[in-house]
C-alpha cells in the first residue's frame, strides 16, 4: 500500500482539480487521479475552452468578412485556414492544461496517472496504462469523474460522420451541410461556429422551443436572432433514424404535432442531446446511491451514501452540468473535509451561451416563478436604447430583471447581449447579497457601457427607465 493521503480526488476536471488545489491550500495531503494524459477534464480538453476558442476565431472571421467594410476597414481576400484555426485552439488547450500541471506542483499535489477505482471507503486503486495496479490509503475520497456525451436510442456516434461535441470541435474540413440534433447550449454554440465558417446548418429540436430551461422571452428572441443569422430550425421534431450512406448521413425525422415526415441528407450530424455522468460499475457495487438518471446522490455536504466518500460536478444529482458549478463544489467540499463550512448557493449559478450575441441568466425564469405561484414584477430594457451597444453595432437583445412583488428582492435575470456572459456576474453578485431591484437601480453604472442596460432594466421594474 502506497502513502497515506487525507484526500484522493478521482478526476481532474474543473471540479476535481479545483478541489485538489483547495484541499492542498488547507493543509490536506492530496492526490488527484486522472485517466487521460492531460489534466483539466472535459472543460479544458474538449468542452468550454476549445469551443470558446473556435467561437472567438469564427466570430472574428465572420466580422472580417461581413462587418469590417461597414466600419471603414477595407479588407480583401479574406481566407479561412481551418488547420491554423484548429492549431490555435490546440495551443490554447495545451497552455491551460499545462497550467494545471504547474498548479499541482506548486501546491504539492500528487498526480496519479491512470484509472481510479474505489476499493473501499479508504482505498483507491489506480490502474495505469500498462495495467499495473497500485492501491493508496486515504481518509477521504472525492468522486469528480464528470460526464460524457449521450446519443439517441439506436444511433451510434462514430465521431466521423455522426459526431458528438468532441468530433464537432475538430472537423478537418468545413462540412457543406451540418445537421445538429439538440437546440441546447452546446448544439447552438457549435452551430454558430460552423455556420460562420461556411456550413449550411440545420438544428432539429424535440421541444417546441430552443435552450430549454431558459426564460421563454429569451428563447423566442434568440431563435429569431439565430434564424436571421441563417441557421435553420425544425422544432417539435423527433429524429427517428440516421443512416450513413457513402460518407453522407441521411437523417429521418417526424414533426411531433402534424406527423409530417422529412428526410435530409448531410455531410455531418452533431448529436447534442445531453450528457450522462461517468459512473463506474465499481461505484454502484460499493453501494453508492444513484438517482434515476444514474447521477450520484449527495446531501448538502456533498457526502454520498457512504461515509468519507464525497462527489461533485457533473456526476452528481445537484445543479446544472457547468464548469463553474463544479469548481464551486470543489472548493466547498475541500472546506467541508477540512472542518470548515463550505457551501454552494444553487439559486445564484449563472449560465451563459457564448454565441453572438451571448445569452445569460441567473436565478429563476418567469415560467418557474409562475409555476411556484410567486408574485413578481418585471423590468426590461432593450440594447437598442443603450448608447454603447449602438456605438458598437450590437443592438440586438435586452435585459430582463424579475423582482419579488412585495419585497423587491431580485429573483432572476435573463439577458441577450454581445457581452451578456460578462455582465451576468454583476447580477449573480447582486443575488448572492440579496439585492433588491432598487439597489441595482441606485448603483452608479459607468457610461457608456452595456451594463447601463442592467440599471435601466432595474429602473423599468418601477416604470422609470430614463432612455426608453
Ligand atoms: C462542448 C462543450 C462545451 C462546454 N462549454 C461550457 C462552458 O462554456 N461553460 C461551462 O460552465 N461548462 C461548459 N461545458 C460543461 C463543462 O465542461 C462540464 O460541466 C465540466 O467539465 C464538468 O466538470 P467535472 O469536473 O464535473 O468533470 P469533467 O470535466 O467531465 O472531468 C472529469 C474527469 O475525470 C476523469 N475520469 C473519469 N473517470 C475516471 C476514473 N475512473 N479515474 C480517473 N479519472 C477519471 C475524466 O478523464 C475527466 O478528465 C461544456 C461541455 C462541452 C461538452
Amino acid at each position: 500500500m502506497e502513502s497515506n493521503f487525507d484526500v484522493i480526488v478521482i478526476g481532474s476536471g474543473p471540479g476535481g482539480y479545483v478541489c485538489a488545489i483547495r484541499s492542498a491550500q488547507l493543509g490536506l495531503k492530496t492526490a488527484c487521479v486522472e485517466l487521460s494524459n492531460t489534466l483539466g477534464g472535459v472543460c479544458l480538453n474538449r468542452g468550454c475552452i476549445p469551443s470558446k476558442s473556435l467561437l472567438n476565431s469564427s466570430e472574428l472571421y465572420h466580422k472580417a468578412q461581413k462587418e469590417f467594410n461597414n466600419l471603414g476597414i477595407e479588407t480583401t481576400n479574406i481566407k479561412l485556414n481551418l488547420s491554423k484555426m484548429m492549431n490555435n485552439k490546440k495551443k490554447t488547450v495545451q497552455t491551460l492544461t499545462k497550467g494545471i500541471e504547474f498548479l499541482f506542483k506548486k501546491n504539492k499535489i500528487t498526480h496519479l496517472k491512470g484509472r481510479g477505482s474505489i476499493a473501499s471507503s479508504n482505498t483507491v486503486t489506480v490502474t495505469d496504462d500498462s495495467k499495473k495496479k497500485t492501491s493508496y490509503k486515504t481518509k477521504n475520497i472525492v468522486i469528480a469523474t464528470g460526464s460524457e456525451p449521450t446519443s439517441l436510442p439506436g444511433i451510434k456516434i462514430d465521431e466521423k460522420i455522426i459526431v458528438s461535441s468532441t468530433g464537432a470541435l475538430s472537423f478537418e474540413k468545413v462540412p457543406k451541410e451540418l445537421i445538429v440534433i439538440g437546440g441546447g447550449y452546446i448544439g447552438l454554440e457549435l452551430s454558430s461556429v460552423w455556420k460562420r465558417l461556411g456550413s449550411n446548418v440545420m438544428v432539429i429540436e424535440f421541444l417546441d422551443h430552443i435552450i430549454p430551461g431558459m426564460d421563454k422571452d429569451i428563447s423566442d428572441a434568440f431563435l429569431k436572432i439565430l434564424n436571421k443569422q441563417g441557421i435553420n430550425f425544425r422544432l417539435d421534431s423527433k429524429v427517428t433514424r440516421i443512416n450513413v450512406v457513402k460518407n453522407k448521413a441521411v437523417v429521418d425525422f417526424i414533426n411531433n404535432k402534424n406527423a409530417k415526415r422529412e428526410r435530409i441528407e448531410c455531410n455531418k450530424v452533431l448529436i447534442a442531446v445531453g450528457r450522462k455522468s461517468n459512473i463506474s460499475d465499481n461505484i454502484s457495487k460499493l453501494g453508492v446511491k444513484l438517482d434515476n438518471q444514474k447521477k450520484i446522490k449527495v446531501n448538502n455536504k456533498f457526502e454520498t451514501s457512504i461515509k468519507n466518500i464525497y462527489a461533485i460536478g457533473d456526476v452528481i444529482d445537484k445543479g446544472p452540468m457547468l464548469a463553474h458549478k463544479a469548481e464551486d463544489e470543489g472548493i466547498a467540499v475541500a472546506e467541508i473535509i477540512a472542518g470548515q463550512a463550505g457551501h454552494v448557493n444553487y439559486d445564484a449559478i449563472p449560465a451563459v451561451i457564448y454565441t453572438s450575441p451571448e445569452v445569460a441568466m441567473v436565478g429563476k425564469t418567469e415560467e418557474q416563478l409562475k409555476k411556484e405561484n410567486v408574485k413578481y414584477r418585471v423590468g426590461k430594457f432593450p440594447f437598442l436604447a443603450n448608447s454603447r451597444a449602438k456605438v458598437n453595432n450590437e443592438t440586438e437583445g435586452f435585459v430582463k430583471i424579475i423582482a419579488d412583488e412585495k419585497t423587491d428582492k431580485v429573483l432572476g435575470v435573463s439577458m441577450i447581449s454581445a457581452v451578456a456572459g460578462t455582465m451576468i456576474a454583476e447580477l449573480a453578485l447582486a443575488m448572492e447579497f440579496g439585492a433588491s431591484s432598487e439597489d441595482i437601480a441606485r448603483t452608479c453604472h459607468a457610461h457608456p457601457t452595456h451594463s447601463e442596460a442592467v440599471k435601466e432594466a432595474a429602473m423599468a421594474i418601477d416604470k422609470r427607465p430614463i432612455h426608453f
Side-chain angles (χ1 to χ4, degrees):
M1 193 79 75
E2 298 284 330
S3 50
N4 279 334
F5 289 99
D6 293 314
V7 186
I8 295 185
V9 184
I10 307 179
S12 73
Y17 85 75
V18 168
C19 174
I21 292 173
R22 186 69 189 122
S23 300
Q25 283 176 346
L26 289 163
L28 301 169
K29 190 175 175 200
T30 307
C32 183
V33 196
E34 174 54 57
L35 64 83
S36 300
N37 293 330
T38 51
L39 297 173
V42 169
C43 171
L44 270 71
N45 293 282
R46 48 192 182 280
C48 323
I49 299 303
S51 59
K52 264 78 263 178
S53 170
L54 292 184
L55 278 157
N56 182 51
S57 308
S58 62
E59 190 179 352
L60 292 174
Y61 173 67
H62 171 85
K63 280 192 169 156
Q65 267 194 329
K66 310 270 171 180
E67 292 177 20
F68 280 8
N69 261 335
N70 297 340
L71 305 177
I73 306 168
E74 292 189 2
T75 48
T76 45
N77 225 0
I78 290 172
K79 276 203 325 226
L80 172 68
N81 184 329
L82 186 60
S83 74
K84 243 187 182 170
M85 197 180 273
M86 290 292 175
N87 258 336
N88 173 60
K89 176 200 72 171
K90 205 165 139 193
K91 263 198 257 160
T92 312
V93 168
Q94 271 168 357
T95 313
L96 291 174
T97 54
K98 288 264 171 231
I100 309 226
E101 277 178 32
F102 163 79
L103 291 171
F104 272 19
K105 282 195 188 116
K106 182 180 160 213
N107 287 284
K108 303 194 171 43
I109 295 162
T110 306
H111 174 186
L112 303 172
K113 296 180 182 169
R115 180 177 289 276
S117 63
I118 304 175
S120 75
S121 60
N122 291 108
T123 317
V124 171
T125 302
V126 179
T127 310
D128 70 14
D129 280 352
S130 63
K131 302 270 182 285
K132 189 177 152 228
K133 286 182 192 290
T134 314
S135 291
Y136 300 87
K137 270 260 168 258
T138 178
K139 292 192 184 112
N140 301 283
I141 297 169
V142 179
I143 304 170
T145 48
S147 64
E148 60 183 22
T150 44
S151 188
L152 292 164
I155 294 171
K156 199 170 170 301
I157 293 175
D158 58 22
E159 297 296 10
K160 289 188 183 107
I161 293 180
I162 304 176
V163 301
S164 70
S165 52
T166 308
L169 287 167
S170 302
F171 290 150
E172 284 167 4
K173 259 175 46 189
V174 176
K176 195 159 174 282
E177 291 109 12
L178 170 67
I179 288 191
V180 176
I181 304 175
Y185 80 94
I186 294 178
L188 297 180
E189 286 185 1
L190 289 164
S191 295
S192 291
V193 165
W194 292 107
K195 175 70 204 160
R196 290 170 194 160
L197 298 181
S199 298
N200 286 320
V201 180
M202 175 184 281
V203 178
I204 304 176
E205 165 59 52
F206 182 77
L207 300 173
D208 63 359
H209 59 279
I210 57 169
I211 48 171
M214 290 236 175
D215 199 282
K216 180 83 170 43
D217 274 352
I218 295 282
S219 154
D220 290 348
F222 190 43
L223 179 65
K224 280 191 194 135
I225 291 171
L226 293 176
N227 261 320
K228 225 170 86 190
Q229 292 177 3
I231 298 176
N232 296 308
F233 286 86
R234 292 287 191 277
L235 300 180
D236 233 330
S237 297
K238 181 179 172 176
V239 171
T240 50
R241 198 164 54 174
I242 306 176
N243 276 338
V244 175
V245 186
K246 288 191 193 152
N247 279 337
K248 282 210 155 191
V250 181
V251 182
D252 287 308
F253 55 99
I254 179 166
N255 186 288
N256 296 330
K257 280 208 182 110
N258 59 21
K260 187 180 154 211
R261 289 179 184 275
E262 272 189 83
R263 170 171 288 181
I264 297 186
E265 210 179 76
C266 61
N267 307 89
K268 303 271 183 196
V269 181
L270 160 61
I271 312 267
V273 294
R275 300 184 58 82
K276 63 170 190 272
S277 29
N278 285 323
I279 305 281
S280 66
D281 295 345
N282 141 273
I283 284 177
S284 327
K285 269 191 215 142
L286 265 175
V288 171
K289 292 224 166 77
L290 308 180
D291 72 358
N292 53 13
Q293 287 183 301
K294 295 220 153 116
K295 289 182 161 204
I296 298 178
K297 280 187 170 185
V298 292
N299 63 16
N300 57 8
K301 289 184 170 167
F302 306 101
E303 291 167 316
T304 66
S305 49
I306 297 187
K307 205 168 155 22
N308 306 328
I309 304 183
Y310 300 80
I312 55 168
D314 277 10
V315 82
I316 68 169
D317 65 342
K318 267 193 172 46
M321 284 174 140
L322 291 172
H324 42 280
K325 183 219 72 146
E327 288 187 43
D328 280 10
E329 290 171 345
I331 291 174
V333 78
E335 292 175 352
I336 288 167
I337 291 171
Q340 299 185 355
H343 171 72
V344 174
N345 176 7
Y346 289 97
D347 290 332
I349 294 177
V352 180
I353 306 172
Y354 297 85
T355 43
S356 180
E358 295 177 342
V359 179
M361 71 168 281
V362 62
K364 301 257 162 92
T365 63
E366 202 173 338
E367 292 70 41
Q368 278 174 304
L369 292 169
K370 269 192 191 132
K371 244 194 205 157
E372 293 170 16
N373 275 329
V374 177
K375 296 259 183 299
Y376 57 84
R377 292 194 301 164
V378 175
K380 274 193 197 173
F381 190 81
F383 282 94
L384 208 57
N386 171 273
S387 56
R388 185 61 183 278
K390 273 242 186 268
V391 168
N392 291 5
N393 292 325
E394 295 166 341
T395 51
E396 280 177 320
F398 56 91
V399 177
K400 174 176 178 179
I401 301 184
I402 312 179
D404 188 278
E405 191 181 82
K406 254 201 196 137
T407 65
D408 192 36
K409 188 175 176 187
V410 176
L411 302 174
V413 183
S414 300
M415 60 173 92
I416 299 181
S417 155
V419 287
T422 305
M423 279 164 63
I424 202 71
E426 173 188 353
L427 287 315
L429 187 69
M431 287 189 68
E432 269 300 339
F433 279 76
S436 61
S437 77
E438 184 75 10
D439 289 328
I440 297 173
R442 295 205 179 271
T443 301
C444 191
H445 285 67
H447 174 76
T449 58
H450 294 80
S451 294
E452 285 174 290
V454 170
K455 180 186 170 100
E456 294 260 19
M459 291 164 99
I461 286 188
D462 209 21
K463 304 203 172 16
R464 56 184 171 92
I466 301 295
H467 295 94
F468 192 66

